[in-house]
Amino acid sequence: MSRAALMNNYGTPPVTFVRGDGTELWDDRGRRYLDFLCGLAVTGLGHAHPAVTEAVAAQAGTLIHTSNLFANEPTAEVVETLDRLIRSGPGGDTEPGRILFQNSGAEAVEAALKLARKHQGRGRHGVVSAYGSFHGRTLAALAATGQPTKHEPFQPMPEGFRHVPFDDFGALEAALDPTVGAVVLESVQGEGGVVPAGDEYLQAVRRVCDERGILLVMDEIQTGLARTGRWFGYQHAGVQPDVVTMAKALGNGVPVGAVWARPDVAAAFVPGDHGSTFAGQPLALAAVRAVLAQMQAMDAPAVADRLGADLRDRLLAIDGVDSVRGRGLLLAAELSEEAGAGRSAKDVASACLDRGLVVNGVTPTALRLAPPFVVSTEQLAEGCAILAGVLERGWGATRSP
């Protein structure tokens, strides 16, 4: 596909996908692939899920857009369901929260940061987040992202953001001066290498935020909606955040994001404080309603927990895989130095793609795997066999046409 008229944001794509069905993809040459990446943990129900397809098609034929000056039919059910799932873990037996829809994860984080500033007031605008985190590429979300190399081309960054080592409570506590109004964390750092936060760490962060009147904002954009084996990743630690951001799997590929906040925090926003032309439109929320219905019907957290354990075991049995980390169906396979032979995990991912498996190199030495909840055990076995073959035959091996 020609990229001559496009900005060079993503480099030259190696494959053009034209069709998907469940865990499978086909390119424009008719070649089949297993999708163990899900568009970066987006298509949790797989490609072309019948219920989502039907919901989007029906809504497109009925009403796609008005504006947020008016209500639309899917909203009430989606809001009630999301709020219930967000508060379904330990500590969530509180007053129902409030939700603001957005179009993406970065926009959800941006809205959460504005909400925290408005709620906490002037002088408490500081935000503490973790090194290795990823919160988006809009300017404030990028400032919260703990990856300094991503900041450099866009300096000076917005003020008020500071970063501390991930999963290090002492370092975080030391950074909490009186100007800090919010702590922003991921329950599993996805782009940072699929690194889970310790349960005791999140519990300690929750306690200190309570003691000092600081908002705990959990970025569940990659980990939310059952991906880790709970509806939201923070539920493993038995904590309840003050603000939650979500996107990715929420629409199974239809662009949509959301911010949830406890009611007293949400009350800080009044008409005119924040908005979006397309956020919360009927088309997106029809997709969300179908996604949530299907995930609940299949008990998606239990499915992710069961299949994730199966995938972990299969990965650990592969020569060349040193260890596996992550939760549920969000895993990273750490490759052994011997298997690497001087090449990176990106090379492994490229060789896997050539052989019909979609994964990505999330660090120089680790592959990220995030199959959909509809993946079969046979497909897990097939995908792991492809990876094993790549590691056994050398990372540059390709499949036959």
Side-chain angles (χ1 to χ4, degrees):
M1 181 176 66
S2 171
R3 289 267 175 159
L6 297 177
M7 292 188 188
N8 188 29
N9 239 42
Y10 304 106
T12 302
V15 175
T16 298
F17 290 122
V18 297
R19 182 168 66 90
D21 182 11
T23 309
E24 298 175 316
L25 287 165
W26 285 266
D27 68 15
D28 55 354
R29 298 181 181 181
R31 296 188 298 176
R32 169 187 171 272
Y33 301 76
L34 288 176
D35 186 359
F36 276 26
L37 193 58
C38 280
L40 301 176
V42 170
T43 53
L45 293 176
H47 299 286
H49 190 284
V52 180
T53 299
E54 181 181 354
V56 171
Q59 190 64 53
T62 304
L63 181 67
I64 291 180
H65 181 78
T66 53
S67 85
N68 286 310
L69 298 176
F70 308 98
N72 64 64
E73 188 269 331
T75 299
E77 182 179 349
V78 171
V79 166
E80 187 279 331
T81 302
L82 276 177
D83 176 69
R84 174 170 48 80
L85 296 178
I86 287 167
R87 297 186 301 112
S88 64
D93 53 346
T94 59
E95 185 180 352
R98 304 290 183 268
I99 287 175
L100 178 66
F101 290 106
Q102 298 291 280
N103 302 298
S104 67
E107 290 171 86
V109 170
E110 199 82 14
L113 293 170
K114 287 179 65 177
L115 179 64
R117 283 198 175 195
K118 180 82 186 296
H119 173 76
Q120 296 289 41
R122 294 190 180 187
R124 296 204 69 191
H125 64 283
V127 173
V128 173
S129 54
Y131 284 116
S133 63
F134 184 83
H135 300 292
R137 295 184 185 272
T138 55
L139 204 54
L142 181 61
T145 293
Q147 299 185 41
T149 56
K150 288 184 169 60
H151 299 167
E152 285 309 310
F154 307 104
Q155 296 284 8
M157 300 301 290
E159 67 174 21
F161 294 87
R162 66 191 71 169
H163 306 94
V164 296
F166 185 56
D167 211 22
D168 182 338
F169 177 69
L172 184 142
E173 186 178 31
L176 300 179
D177 66 27
T179 69
V180 174
V183 170
V184 182
L185 294 172
E186 299 161 278
S187 54
V188 179
Q189 285 192 340
E191 303 303 314
V194 190
V195 182
D199 292 347
E200 292 183 357
Y201 169 71
L202 290 181
Q203 292 160 7
V205 174
R206 176 70 278 179
R207 285 194 298 271
V208 76
C209 285
D210 287 339
E211 291 166 1
R212 304 193 188 189
I214 295 170
L215 297 180
L216 175 57
V217 181
M218 291 302 300
D219 180 340
E220 291 282 338
I221 290 163
Q222 188 162 161
T223 50
L225 282 304
R227 175 56 61 180
T228 68
R230 299 289 188 276
W231 282 112
F232 292 89
Y234 58 79
Q235 292 171 343
H236 291 277
V239 300
Q240 181 65 35
D242 304 302
V243 180
V244 180
T245 63
M246 66 205 93
K248 287 191 181 293
L250 190 58
N252 207 59
V254 175
V256 61
V259 181
W260 175 96
R262 71 181 204 228
D264 60 308
V265 176
F269 268 174
V270 298
D273 280 342
H274 194 67
S276 169
T277 298
F278 298 109
Q281 65 166 211
L283 186 70
L285 294 194
V288 175
R289 179 167 60 181
V291 167
L292 294 177
Q294 292 300 308
M295 285 189 172
Q296 290 177 96
M298 72 188 300
D299 193 359
V303 171
D305 193 49
R306 172 174 56 81
L307 292 176
D310 186 1
L311 178 57
R312 181 187 294 266
D313 289 344
R314 293 178 187 275
L315 290 170
L316 287 171
I318 297 173
D319 288 339
V321 173
D322 261 356
S323 61
V324 178
R325 60 180 177 268
R327 278 179 157 155
L329 279 173
L330 180 60
L331 299 177
E334 190 71 30
L335 305 177
S336 68
E337 185 175 344
E338 294 78 12
R343 296 187 177 98
S344 72
K346 184 177 179 181
D347 297 318
V348 178
S350 179
C352 285
L353 184 67
D354 287 338
R355 294 170 65 87
L357 176 66
V358 181
V359 293
N360 84 314
V362 71
T363 73
T365 60
L367 292 174
R368 173 170 43 185
L369 300 96
F373 308 137
V374 297
V375 67
S376 68
T377 55
E378 292 79 11
Q379 288 169 331
L380 288 178
E382 182 185 356
C384 288
I386 292 172
L387 174 58
V390 167
L391 294 178
E392 178 184 349
R393 294 175 178 84
W395 292 6
T398 62
R399 65 174 175 175
S400 299

